[in-house]
Amino acid sequence: MIASPKNHLQLWSAVALPPLLRIQPHHPTQQQPLAVILSASDKDARRTSTTQPSPNPTTSNKLSRNPFLYFLTLLYFLYLPVPARAQNFDKPVTNIDEEVTAFAYAPNGNVVFSVRRMFKTKKYDLQRDDIWLLESGGKRKRLLEGQKFTHDEKLFTYQVESFTWSPNARIIAVQLFTTTMDPDAGSREDTHALLLLDDSGHELRPNGKDQLVMQAQNPLWLRDNQTLVYLTNEDTPQDLFAMQYLNISSGPAGKAFEGRTFQGASRISGSNAAIAVERSRTFDGPARLQRLDLLSQDDKEVATLDAYAGGILVSPSGTHVAYFLDKEVLEIRDLTAPVRIARMRIGLGVLQWSVDESQIYLKRTLEKKSADLVTFRVPELRAYPPHSEIPVLEPEPRMLLHGLTVREYSLSPDGRFLAIVLPGKRNLQIFSF
């Protein structure tokens, strides 16, 4: 579980910020030193003990002669606040000294990550990222060597965009942004594609010989660990997607919710269901929040939305969902009682729920860009009469990593670790809470 907000921020002076970037080859399985608190007002950034001070002998003599002063001093020490346990955001427990383009935690705590790899041909510079697995015990192994990965015997380049693990943490759906070129014809095609790997690095080929599922993104796994539903914009208007089935053994299995289009979807953990935002092809009418059974293709409308601007994300328990109404306002809705909602003005960004669902983490910019990382307390959700004005709260953000900007971030499934990719060198660093 994640600690309460009052324990989330370690105090630092401005001089103490450089230790954030030190490389520490520890791993989360190793015992970590006890955290200390640095005084925010101490200009020389000296470490201060958390032990309460004791009076010197001269002071003791004065106290013994003045009972009232002794009583006040006793009260001071009895009620002096004990400093909260600090977070270890000064020393990463793991550092991957590579140019990391994407990463994701598995349900069992393993981490898959991609490393940017560039190589030259006679006329072109190509990018094909390597893919690695970091096991919870600290062992690292390469699952895919990008330079050896080819497609259709054409000039082919790709960058890894994201990873989605199967529920049993054995199979990885890798989302790629690909470019295929035919120099003789002078043609070029850019598209999203899915690559399926197991945790040993074996390529799974649901399409037969072709290892890529083209024009596919945002995979949603079913509980059988063999079937997924992905989004495709092959035959849809811009910013709208249709859904397709894919079985990793037998290949494409037809359309899901045929004839319908969606703006986004988020899987409900531990189920075959997802929460999706549906819109018509012509964008007439409001956005509708739908609960979709991905196996039976049944659906149930949850709510009609005032607007939708992206970022839909179901909470770990599957009881709440968050999404942006516009570039500023986040709406949180109770899926067990959909009339209960809350709105917060926090700015558009990349969301993640805390494990206990008491907080929302936010990188305050779009994906693949760098910004600071903050948290917000999830407010009380309330029911409002139809057509009534819903108040928009303006909560104060809690800054993490002392304002350091990050390019990517993710919480471990148990909430004990925070992994980030730094801008610049793009190292992957993991910090413990």
Side-chain angles (χ1 to χ4, degrees), residues 80-95:
L80 181 68
V82 178
R85 185 177 183 271
Q87 294 174 347
N88 296 328
F89 284 159
D90 55 333
K91 296 181 179 180
V93 296
T94 299
N95 181 80

Side-chain angles (χ1 to χ4, degrees), residues 98-102 113-119 126-132 158-160 426:
E98 299 279 2
E99 188 175 352
V100 175
T101 57
F113 63 94
S114 53
V115 175
R116 187 171 185 259
R117 289 289 182 257
M118 302 293 297
F119 61 98
L126 302 179
Q127 176 178 349
R128 295 179 192 159
D129 298 343
D130 292 346
I131 297 176
W132 290 77
Y158 69 83
Q159 177 177 325
V160 175
R426 299 187 186 177

